[in-house]
Amino acid sequence: MVFISQKVRNALMKGVDSAIIERILMETSEERMTKNIIEMADVSFRYTEENPDLILDNVNLSIEKGEWVTIIGPNGSGKSTLTKTMNGLILPSDGKIVIDGTEMTEENLWSVRRKIGMVFQNPENQFVGATVEDDVAFGLENIGMARDEMKTRVKDALLRVDMWDLADRQPANLSGGQKQRAAIAGIIASRPEIIVLDEATSMLDPLGRQIVFDTIKDIKQEDNLTIISITHDINEALESDRIVVMEKGKIVAVGTPEEIFAYGERLIDLGLEVPFSETLKTSLRDVGFPVPKEYLTDERMMEWLWIYNSKM
């Protein structure tokens, strides 16, 4: 898909000179580049030089500041490896990664990492403190933050995830959802610009999943954070600005939720779930109903069914 800005559209409609249009294109490109908080160019990764198998294969991806991007794909497609390269947990074998205007290298790895916080599937793997408050403070202590500032940040982070009343509780005694919210508090206390969620809600029951998801949405809105989420939860994916589909270490599709879920059966072939409305549409098509080709949300599917039925 070719992106054409409104400036260029207007210039073309007015018959503006090609040199001016070229300058507008350059300005538009620069504007878009300055908005990108993550740039991945020709990124590949293999575990060893002796092993030719690529876990990531020539990945190119740009993510704008403030975006919510969901990464989906079958097991082994490279989703987690992709986010680990973003955070510098592993360095790419080839290509380059730019975080907020700084190209990631071994020399600046730690300073770049401070811009990114990761929340993993099992929060217990992140706990190191004897209490929830101690655990949230741990990362701040490591960077030598003044005690008064640290206490303020810890309390603010726990209040924002509705966990201040449990600050003295041992992490092991929390519920699954509370553990994940405590882990998120530990991340936001360090005030990163990017939060990566690696299956962060997959071990929770539906209520716990919704509470954690709503907490992340609120924090993103308040701080204009960039969220990168790996998930198998279709409802979470539908909330994102864009979806990235991966297969065998490659990015095979990027688009809005509507654009991606319109692939329907192609996603099912990859072993991925699709929204109920898309499953219903496929079933109706199989028995001869003239359903629309584009993706329909549940609400739009109900509206189409009502209109179709009223014509019968």
Side-chain angles (χ1 to χ4, degrees):
M1 180 181 296
V2 177
F3 175 83
I4 301 177
S5 72
Q6 193 59 48
K7 287 182 182 178
V8 176
R9 292 177 193 272
N10 293 339
L12 289 170
M13 290 176 65
K14 294 176 181 178
V16 174
D17 183 78
S18 60
I20 296 177
I21 292 177
E22 184 176 353
R23 180 171 58 80
I24 294 173
L25 283 169
M26 290 179 65
E27 290 174 354
T28 302
S29 177
E30 290 172 359
E31 288 172 4
R32 290 174 64 79
M33 285 290 289
T34 57
K35 291 193 296 181
N36 289 334
I37 195 166
I38 297 176
E39 291 275 354
M40 306 185 76
D42 303 322
V43 171
S44 295
F45 176 77
R46 60 176 65 82
Y47 282 109
T48 63
E49 290 295 332
E50 292 75 24
N51 186 348
D53 295 333
L54 290 172
I55 310 302
L56 296 178
D57 189 356
N58 199 41
V59 170
N60 290 277
L61 179 65
S62 298
I63 296 175
E64 291 186 7
K65 182 175 176 61
E67 261 196 308
W68 186 310
V69 175
T70 297
I71 303 174
I72 63 174
N75 292 335
S77 60
K79 303 185 299 294
S80 291
T81 303
L82 182 68
T83 58
K84 287 175 182 176
T85 60
M86 291 179 186
N87 195 35
L89 292 176
I90 56 177
L91 291 174
S93 306
D94 299 292
K96 72 175 183 176
I97 300 173
V98 178
I99 305 295
D100 198 20
T102 301
E103 183 175 349
M104 187 184 296
T105 65
E106 290 187 14
E107 289 72 26
N108 64 18
L109 196 56
W110 291 103
S111 61
V112 171
R113 275 185 184 173
R114 290 177 64 175
K115 296 178 181 288
I116 306 175
M118 292 193 73
V119 183
F120 295 98
Q121 183 179 46
N122 187 350
E124 293 183 3
N125 294 337
Q126 295 179 253
F127 292 138
V128 292
T131 67
V132 169
E133 186 174 12
D134 290 342
D135 193 79
V136 175
F138 180 77
L140 305 181
E141 289 176 337
N142 275 351
I143 61 174
M145 182 172 289
R147 183 165 181 78
D148 288 346
E149 172 68 10
M150 181 172 63
K151 290 176 69 175
T152 299
R153 283 207 194 185
V154 169
K155 183 174 182 178
D156 175 67
L158 288 171
L159 284 170
R160 294 180 73 183
V161 299
D162 197 24
M163 289 287 290
W164 178 243
D165 291 342
L166 301 175
D168 295 330
R169 187 79 62 88
Q170 293 182 4
N173 295 330
L174 300 175
S175 69
Q178 289 169 341
K179 288 176 181 177
Q180 202 59 285
R181 281 187 285 148
I184 293 168
I187 296 300
I188 64 174
S190 63
R191 299 183 181 171
E193 297 183 45
I194 304 162
I195 293 181
V196 178
L197 309 170
D198 191 349
E199 301 279 8
T201 63
S202 63
M203 297 179 67
L204 305 179
D205 59 50
L207 177 59
R209 184 181 300 123
Q210 190 62 51
I211 291 172
V212 169
F213 187 68
D214 289 343
T215 298
I216 294 167
K217 282 202 300 183
D218 290 342
I219 293 168
K220 178 197 180 302
Q221 185 69 26
E222 292 166 7
D223 296 349
N224 192 32
L225 293 173
T226 303
I227 305 293
I228 301 165
S229 173
I230 297 174
T231 184
H232 286 93
D233 189 301
I234 294 303
N235 293 321
E236 288 185 22
L238 285 169
E239 294 282 345
S240 57
D241 298 308
R242 286 191 299 156
I243 295 176
V244 175
V245 184
M246 295 194 67
E247 181 185 20
K248 297 179 180 178
K250 294 177 178 288
I251 291 178
V252 295
V254 180
T256 64
E258 291 79 9
E259 290 169 339
I260 294 301
F261 288 124
Y263 285 110
E265 293 178 5
R266 168 64 175 145
L267 296 179
I268 294 173
D269 290 342
L270 289 173
L272 302 173
E273 294 183 26
V274 295
F276 172 74
S277 59
E278 194 63 31
T279 303
L280 176 60
K281 191 173 76 173
T282 300
S283 298
L284 291 172
R285 184 186 297 117
D286 289 344
V287 294
F289 282 84
V291 292
K293 292 183 179 180
E294 71 271 14
Y295 169 72
L296 300 178
T297 62
D298 289 353
E299 292 77 14
R300 289 174 61 197
M301 174 58 82
M302 290 176 63
E303 181 181 352
W304 181 85
L305 287 169
W306 185 86
I307 293 173
Y308 182 82
N309 188 60
S310 66
K311 293 179 180 179
M312 295 179 65

